[in-house]
Amino acid sequence: QVQVVESGGGVVQAGGSLRLSCTASGLRFDDYAMGWFRQAPGKEREGVLCISRSGRVAYYADSVKGRFPISRDNAKKTLYLQMNSLKPEDTAMYYCAADRGRCAYYSGDWYLKYWGQGTQVTVSS
């Protein structure tokens, strides 16, 4: 059974950093597209970054470009999101998702098959 589990969220002051981890199980890691998504209270879910099965960055939100580099450790089946220069507007629940297909986005939402429970990131001003 495929599972993805996020960790690393917390409370940080503006300008600070956090590193989120997404550990997958029940899958061959490099056979899956994987990404990070977030949802703030009262707002729709939005994509942060999504990597295709080939490792190509399929989507990278303009709001985080240059601040949130991504890396992966295939041996540990873990995807990392290093969050630097955090801003209060980055406050959200962050979700990791995986799909054996692609980073699918249509009709205003993301349609990856497997989602984690999320990890909360709160940035204080």
Side-chain angles (χ1 to χ4, degrees), residues 5-7 20-22 34-38 46-50 70 79-81 94-97 119:
V5 178
E6 306 94 338
S7 62
L20 304 185
S21 300
C22 170
M34 296 192 68
W36 285 100
F37 307 84
R38 65 187 183 184
E46 63 175 357
V48 176
L49 188 148
C50 200
I70 197 164
L79 185 70
Y80 300 102
L81 184 69
Y94 282 71
Y95 298 91
C96 178
T119 186

Side-chain angles (χ1 to χ4, degrees), residues 25-71:
S25 60
L27 55 76
R28 181 172 168 168
F29 195 63
D30 52 2
D31 271 355
Y32 279 70
M34 296 192 68
W36 285 100
F37 307 84
R38 65 187 183 184
Q39 188 166 21
K43 295 188 177 180
E44 295 185 349
R45 181 168 58 193
E46 63 175 357
V48 176
L49 188 148
C50 200
I51 300 178
S52 69
R53 292 169 59 177
S54 65
R56 180 182 64 86
V57 175
Y59 177 81
Y60 201 0
D62 287 339
S63 61
V64 305
K65 277 183 182 177
R67 297 191 297 127
F68 290 9
I70 197 164
S71 61

Side-chain angles (χ1 to χ4, degrees), residues 77-122:
K77 296 186 178 181
T78 299
L79 185 70
Y80 300 102
L81 184 69
Q82 179 65 43
M83 308 168 68
N84 300 319
S85 302
L86 281 161
K87 304 175 182 180
E89 52 263 43
D90 294 318
T91 294
M93 185 70 81
Y94 282 71
Y95 298 91
C96 178
D99 193 285
R100 203 164 190 276
R102 59 186 181 88
C103 298
Y105 178 84
Y106 53 90
S107 300
D109 202 358
W110 293 88
Y111 290 88
L112 284 75
K113 186 171 182 179
Y114 303 101
W115 290 81
Q117 294 298 307
T119 186
Q120 177 68 38
V121 172
T122 301

